[in-house]
């Protein structure tokens, strides 16, 4: 049977595509311009001087190369925070899906309630708690809160419930495998698509995190890319500050490249993770 085509739906999809790609096109185009070229040329087309390589070199060299430090900080927060949150979500989701214990329904209610709570509502209590512990203005103030991912836990819970057969776990236990070995050798490979899905969500959330570092960090040496580029942008409205819009734009382009690469490399796992369990036999 031939698929039906809708002109209206196609037009709406095209508009959404343009809306999504237009900021990216603007970013790529303007990252090739000098500071003067940003104001002397049309925003959606290239200037006469292609200066992308010079802008990249200037971005990494500006202010004693602090952009590289911000990049390493962001990688640290992503590896420790997003990676740790994914591992904890996989462990907790598997445990909640495959083990029956008193209070399981209460835990489910708490997880669902935590998903509904916006992160900004917890910002002030989190800052006060970390200040009391003496961990404010340290990497731990970013890493530890990033380890908590209620949505990732819920997603792994629902995924593990259908992706890991109970009979397979029973066979592993009969063969003498410990619970840790059963999880890492039997369950975790089956949880691969869901784990990658949760990892992508956590990586994007941690990589783009701005508000938490803003209230937790004072030392620029511990800034992530988001907060560091914001300080460069604010220099334009500061008395005596350098106007480096070309470096802000180039730095923003460099910031999103790893995320785009991650999505392109892991998209097949991401798609299969989102649809797994949607059809039951």
């Amino acid at each position: 049977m031939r698929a039906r085509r809708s002109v209206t739906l196609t037009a709406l999809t095209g508009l959404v595509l343009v809306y999504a790609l237009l900021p990216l096109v603007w970013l790529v185009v303007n990252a090739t311009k000098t500071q003067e070229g940003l104001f002397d040329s049309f925003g959606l087309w290239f200037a006469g001087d292609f200066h992308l390589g010079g802008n990249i070199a200037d971005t990494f060299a500006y202010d004693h190369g602090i952009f590289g430090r911000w990049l390493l900080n962001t990688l640290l927060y992503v590896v420790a925070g997003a990676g740790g949150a994914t591992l904890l979500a996989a462990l907790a989701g598997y445990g909640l899906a495959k083990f029956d214990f008193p209070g399981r329904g209460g835990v489910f209610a708490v997880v669902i309630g935590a998903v509904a709570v916006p992160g900004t509502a917890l910002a002030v209590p989190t800052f006060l708690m970390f200040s009391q512990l003496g961990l404010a203005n340290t990497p731990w103030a970013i890493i530890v809160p990033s380890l908590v991912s209620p949505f990732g836990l819920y997603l792994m819970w629902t995924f593990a419930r259908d992706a890991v057969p109970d009979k397979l776990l029973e066979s592993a236990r009969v063969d003498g495998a410990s619970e840790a070995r059963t999880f890492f050798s039997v369950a975790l490979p089956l949880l691969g698509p869901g784990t990658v899905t949760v990892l992508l969500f956590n990586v994007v959330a941690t990589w783009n995190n701005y508000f938490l570092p803003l209230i937790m960090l004072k030392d620029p040496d511990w800034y992530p890319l988001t907060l560091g580029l914001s300080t460069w942008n604010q220099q334009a409205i500061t008395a005596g500050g350098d106007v480096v819009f070309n470096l802000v734009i180039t730095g923003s382009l460099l910031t999103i490249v790893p995320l785009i690469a991650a999505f392109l490399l892991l998209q097949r796992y991401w798609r299969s993770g989102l649809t797994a369990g949607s059809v039951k036999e």
Side-chain angles (χ1 to χ4, degrees), residues 140-154:
W140 295 111
I142 309 301
I143 295 173
V144 174
S146 299
L147 294 174
V148 181
S149 176
F151 176 74
L153 194 158
Y154 173 74

Side-chain angles (χ1 to χ4, degrees), residues 11 16 30 40 57 63-65 70 84 88 100 111 128 130 164 196 207 225 227 241 246 272 279 281:
V16 172
N30 286 276
D40 297 338
D63 197 9
H64 307 290
W70 293 340
L88 292 177
D100 191 11
V111 172
L128 294 176
F130 275 81
V164 183
V196 171
W207 192 278
L225 287 170
L227 188 56
N246 60 323
S272 62
V279 178
E281 298 180 356

